[in-house]
Amino acid sequence: MNQANQVPAVYVGCAGWSLPREHWSKFPEDGTHLQRYASQLSAVEINSSFYRPHRSQTYCRWAQSVPATFRFSVKVPKLITHVQRLQGCELLLDEFLSQCTALGDALGCLLVQLPPSLAYDESVVAAFFQALRQRYAGAVVLEPRHESWLDADALLIEQRIGRVAADPSSITGGDTPGGWSGIQYWRWHGSPRIYHSDYDLSRLEALARQVQNPGQAGTTRWCILDNTASGFALSNALTLQALLGCEAKL
């Protein structure tokens, strides 16, 4: 623990803890899929929370089944981001946070992904993040998908919100981290075919170099592989973790 300032945390994982059969030999035979997954990777992004709520007991059970160093990133519900479009969300935030904070120390980050049609409106965004920060002081990252969000960095820095580095990105400069520099979050969806394409070694090596940039000392970094549809995310995450030299310890 006393090395925390010298070796900032780097978390590597996938969107979900699915284990394609062809990779089973890399994981222990015993345990749930999550337990087996968490024995080899340091983080996971929960996307199912975007579509439906989970009981606090479920989050608690997940937290109890992983190593103490493992972290979850939880995607904020679409009721907040896509239906309410960040407006009038106080009760929805209360409900969501009452559930996911049952992860305790295993809750590493909240992910706010916005619809491509949602343009930046400073008054709306300021009110939303103020409401969120009144309720939750932990790490938060934002994945905007409308070009107007390039004007949002000052507000994101003020509210300590990191901007996701997405691949592919729908906004100019969206392939590099932005916003608050205290957290950096790469979210690779698969390119050129989103959710499907495999990343070759040269792309993963380039990402590893970016993540390991000495100028990012003191920054918590996340690398999430979301190219899950054809099963490549898991192997890409394991390769990236090895390149970064941060393999999970059993």
Side-chain angles (χ1 to χ4, degrees), residues 19-33:
L19 298 178
R21 184 177 293 272
E22 62 268 26
H23 299 301
W24 281 7
S25 63
K26 302 172 185 175
F27 296 85
E29 293 182 4
D30 298 328
T32 66
H33 275 236

Side-chain angles (χ1 to χ4, degrees), residues 138-150:
V140 179
V141 294
L142 172 75
E143 185 177 0
R145 292 183 287 174
H146 189 282
E147 198 78 7
S148 61
W149 283 84
L150 294 172

Side-chain angles (χ1 to χ4, degrees), residues 3-167:
Q3 298 179 353
N5 292 330
Q6 299 171 327
V7 187
V10 179
Y11 297 108
V12 180
C14 304
W17 52 79
S18 175
L19 298 178
R21 184 177 293 272
E22 62 268 26
H23 299 301
W24 281 7
S25 63
K26 302 172 185 175
F27 296 85
E29 293 182 4
D30 298 328
T32 66
H33 275 236
L34 174 57
Q35 289 172 322
R36 295 167 66 200
Y37 170 100
S39 73
Q40 300 299 315
L41 288 161
S42 56
V44 72
E45 185 182 275
I46 299 175
N47 276 207
S48 55
S49 55
F50 178 75
Y51 300 101
R52 63 186 185 277
H54 299 300
R55 297 185 306 160
S56 58
Q57 296 95 321
T58 300
Y59 282 111
C60 185
R61 184 178 73 250
W62 288 339
Q64 291 172 348
S65 69
V66 297
T69 54
F70 189 89
R71 294 293 179 267
F72 294 84
S73 174
V74 185
K75 193 171 182 180
V76 171
K78 68 177 181 179
L79 279 174
I80 292 172
T81 57
H82 288 55
V83 178
Q84 294 296 119
R85 298 171 73 84
L86 307 183
Q87 299 184 64
C89 298
E90 289 82 358
L91 292 178
L92 291 172
L93 283 172
D94 288 338
E95 181 181 7
F96 169 62
L97 290 169
S98 72
Q99 297 159 1
C100 70
T101 54
L103 287 168
D105 291 342
L107 175 55
C109 188
L110 298 182
L111 166 66
V112 182
Q113 186 190 53
L114 302 180
S117 61
L118 186 56
Y120 176 60
D121 181 319
E122 184 174 357
S123 62
V124 169
V125 176
F128 172 74
F129 282 123
Q130 286 168 8
L132 177 58
R133 282 305 185 201
Q134 288 169 359
R135 294 161 169 80
Y136 179 75
V140 179
V141 294
L142 172 75
E143 185 177 0
R145 292 183 287 174
H146 189 282
E147 198 78 7
S148 61
W149 283 84
L150 294 172
D151 298 327
D153 266 15
L155 189 149
L156 296 181
I157 293 168
E158 176 187 337
Q159 295 292 339
R160 307 185 321 281
I161 310 294
R163 194 183 74 231
V164 167
D167 182 74

Side-chain angles (χ1 to χ4, degrees), residues 4-9 180-183 213-221:
N5 292 330
Q6 299 171 327
V7 187
W180 184 56
S181 61
I183 184 170
N213 186 330
Q216 294 161 180
T219 298
T220 299
R221 287 154 282 174

